[in-house]
Amino acid sequence: MIRDDGWDGLMKTCLLTLLSLLVASSSSAQLPYTEKQLISYAKSIDVKTLDHSLASQRLEDWLQSGPPHARIGWSMEDTCDLKPVSDSTDYPLCTRIGFSRNGQGGFFLVQVGTTRTGIVGPPQLYGAIDVFEGVLVSTGYAERLSDLPALLDQPAVTGGVQKLYEEIVAHHPIGIPTGTEMAAIRPYLSKRLYEQLQTAQACQDDYKGQHPTPRGTSKPPGWKSGLFSGEGSHASPVAALVARKEKQNDGSYLVYAELEPLEAIIDRAHGPRAFYGGYTWQVVARVISENGQFMVDDVRIFDRFPAEGPSRLLSDSFAGCDHSHWTGQAAENK
């Protein structure tokens, strides 16, 4: 057998050339940083370089052990939340720092370099620091790192309202809740509102005694709606979501919740539910601090979104009662 050394040499040369091209291509595509390197660098940043009003301290230590006393998480944000439009653009390179404490949470970005050059230049805050309760309810925002602790010190006030309306969606109480319905919502009601509902229940019982029916199910006029949500289809909301809050001068908060009625649902062949727009209406719960927790003390129910126009206050719903006795006078004079 005759061996063609020239052909073998040519093949070897081609293979070596191809291999070198692949290695070169891989090297050129390799980023000048890793997520681990970025996060390690961000943790060690001196907070004084980000906010000159702060004393020198590692960023990680300041967030965990300093005034924020927060739980934190780190990740790479390779374009600082910008939407890339060109592969040739040298975008800012950021680390995203998430934080949470006592029901408040959020994140901020620290720019540490650029996507093409990696870690370079002095680090700086990139945009504002946003703080939320849950997902949607804004507590506020800060332009400086030193303002973050004060935002985290704000009480979380909306959780009770969200849970209350999740129970309203689940049970759809009509009139004064009783039994399991009342047991489900009692943890979120203030002492005053709970006692008012109990007094109203006694008044309703007195009304039944004055207006007996074969089934004993009579209720005073106007007491057959959803006290916490509204009349008609609004008595049976299928979804509820707390959207915002407003602090009042007396220390209470107004918490706005958006509700959806049954007719807003689109049935996608028994798949995920979606909602038509334009059906939402709002309720505004007043919450007060009671034994270290924020409890619902009253609710104003509006007919539509946003919270303006005709409305009624839950605590004004028991016209005709004189404490636990039914007189009917207020209902007749209304």
Side-chain angles (χ1 to χ4, degrees), residues 80-102:
C80 295
D81 276 346
L82 296 176
K83 185 177 181 180
V85 295
S86 171
D87 292 337
S88 61
T89 302
D90 193 14
Y91 289 98
L93 178 64
C94 285
T95 299
R96 179 188 295 266
I97 299 102
F99 54 84
S100 63
R101 171 159 64 85
N102 295 337

Side-chain angles (χ1 to χ4, degrees), residues 27-309:
S27 299
S28 64
Q30 187 175 1
L31 296 173
Y33 55 86
T34 65
E35 183 172 22
K36 184 177 180 180
Q37 289 171 337
L38 238 63
I39 291 174
S40 178
Y41 171 73
K43 289 179 177 180
S44 67
I45 292 173
D46 187 342
V47 293
K48 191 173 181 63
T49 64
L50 302 176
D51 185 337
H52 295 304
S53 69
L54 295 173
S56 291
Q57 191 175 8
R58 292 176 74 251
L59 177 58
E60 180 181 32
D61 296 338
W62 184 81
L63 288 169
Q64 288 183 322
S65 306
H69 286 290
R71 296 177 59 186
I72 51 177
W74 308 79
S75 62
M76 180 177 71
E77 184 56 57
D78 55 6
T79 60
C80 295
D81 276 346
L82 296 176
K83 185 177 181 180
V85 295
S86 171
D87 292 337
S88 61
T89 302
D90 193 14
Y91 289 98
L93 178 64
C94 285
T95 299
R96 179 188 295 266
I97 299 102
F99 54 84
S100 63
R101 171 159 64 85
N102 295 337
Q104 306 281 7
F107 72 91
F108 62 95
L109 299 175
V110 174
Q111 184 179 352
V112 296
T114 67
T115 53
R116 287 184 172 272
T117 57
I119 299 171
V120 64
Q124 60 182 342
L125 284 180
Y126 191 89
I129 305 170
D130 294 307
V131 179
F132 296 89
E133 276 191 60
V135 178
L136 293 177
V137 185
S138 175
T139 294
Y141 70 93
E143 299 288 348
R144 303 190 310 168
L145 203 58
S146 53
D147 293 330
L148 174 59
L151 289 172
L152 291 176
D153 287 340
Q154 295 294 315
V157 303
T158 65
V161 178
Q162 181 65 50
K163 291 177 181 177
L164 169 64
Y165 276 91
E166 287 173 359
E167 296 296 342
I168 298 300
V169 167
H171 297 283
H172 296 154
I174 302 299
I176 302 168
T178 59
T180 57
E181 292 176 351
M182 176 56 77
I185 67 173
R186 175 64 186 96
Y188 315 115
L189 306 181
S190 70
K191 182 174 182 289
R192 185 207 67 80
L193 181 55
Y194 174 71
E195 290 178 350
Q196 184 183 25
L197 292 174
Q198 294 300 100
T199 301
Q201 180 62 54
C203 179
Q204 179 174 282
D205 293 341
D206 188 47
Y207 175 89
K208 290 179 180 179
Q210 296 181 36
H211 303 81
T213 62
R215 294 185 179 182
T217 57
S218 61
K219 292 183 179 181
W223 288 32
K224 299 179 181 180
S225 65
L227 287 179
F228 289 86
S229 56
E231 300 179 355
S233 64
H234 288 190
S236 304
V238 295
L241 183 65
V242 168
R244 65 187 178 97
K245 60 184 177 181
E246 292 178 358
K247 187 175 183 180
Q248 305 300 293
N249 292 333
D250 62 358
S252 66
Y253 285 80
L254 297 182
V255 178
Y256 293 70
E258 299 177 8
L259 308 182
E260 290 276 2
L262 180 62
E263 59 263 32
I265 293 180
I266 303 172
D267 186 357
R268 294 182 174 176
H270 308 292
R273 296 190 308 185
F275 294 99
Y276 289 107
Y279 282 89
T280 303
W281 77 100
Q282 280 192 326
V283 297
V284 182
R286 178 176 179 266
V287 297
I288 62 172
S289 180
E290 197 171 87
N291 298 323
Q293 293 183 311
F294 277 86
M295 315 294 282
V296 176
D297 192 56
D298 214 337
V299 180
R300 182 169 292 280
I301 296 98
F302 290 83
D303 292 337
R304 61 177 64 89
F305 177 92
E308 56 187 28

